[in-house]
Amino acid sequence: MSVRIVRLGTPRDPAEGTRIGTVRRVPRGVPKERYASENWFDVWFPVLSPTPELMAQAKAAESEKDWAGFSRAFKAEMAEPAPRHALDLLATLSHGSDFSVGCYCENEARCHRSVLRALLLERGAQFA
């Protein structure tokens, strides 16, 4: 059993399990009933996405220093009670269930999902 970090909208791995969309906004122009069938996500979970202001900071990051600033700020957001509890839950569930967590960004290294990966690892999550 494990968690995978994925790019939403890409083909699914057969062992991926439930796909969780950790994004602030749903895909534009896609009817709700097609989110899962078009490989976006099965469950929308925006509590684990950056605030719009912080997302703008991430998109504007040009240097490693800029990205590090975003990462610190996003980790602070994830330390708030609701996201912290959600991360704890997902880390625990990864020991008995297969599921994936994702975002739309092409490059995981410059996406909040890279920070989510680190936060889940800190909590002992099992990864594929």
Side-chain angles (χ1 to χ4, degrees):
M1 304 297 145
S2 62
V3 60
R4 294 171 189 263
I5 304 296
V6 300
R7 181 176 182 205
L8 302 179
T10 60
R12 293 174 188 246
D13 183 288
E16 187 177 308
T18 300
R19 189 176 270 200
I20 302 169
T22 61
V23 291
R24 186 64 47 187
R25 293 182 174 82
V26 296
R28 281 190 172 166
V30 180
K32 184 178 184 176
E33 57 276 358
R34 294 197 342 227
Y35 293 160
S37 66
E38 292 185 7
N39 295 322
W40 295 104
F41 48 76
D42 301 305
V43 177
W44 181 40
F45 203 46
V47 72
L48 295 181
S49 66
T51 59
E53 299 78 22
L54 197 51
M55 198 63 218
Q57 181 181 340
K59 288 180 179 180
E62 294 181 1
S63 67
E64 288 304 314
K65 182 179 179 183
D66 295 340
W67 182 254
F70 163 78
S71 294
R72 275 191 307 279
F74 183 54
K75 286 178 180 178
E77 285 186 355
M78 294 297 100
E80 293 293 321
R84 185 180 72 237
H85 295 306
L87 289 166
D88 291 343
L89 175 64
L90 291 180
T92 300
L93 288 174
S94 73
H95 293 267
S97 302
D98 289 322
F99 62 91
S100 56
V101 173
C103 179
Y104 307 124
C105 299
E106 185 174 350
N107 179 3
E108 182 183 331
R110 286 297 180 118
C111 176
H112 80 281
R113 68 182 188 262
S114 66
V115 180
L116 290 176
R117 178 189 298 275
L119 291 170
L120 288 165
L121 277 169
E122 287 174 8
R123 289 165 167 79
Q126 294 286 141
F127 278 86

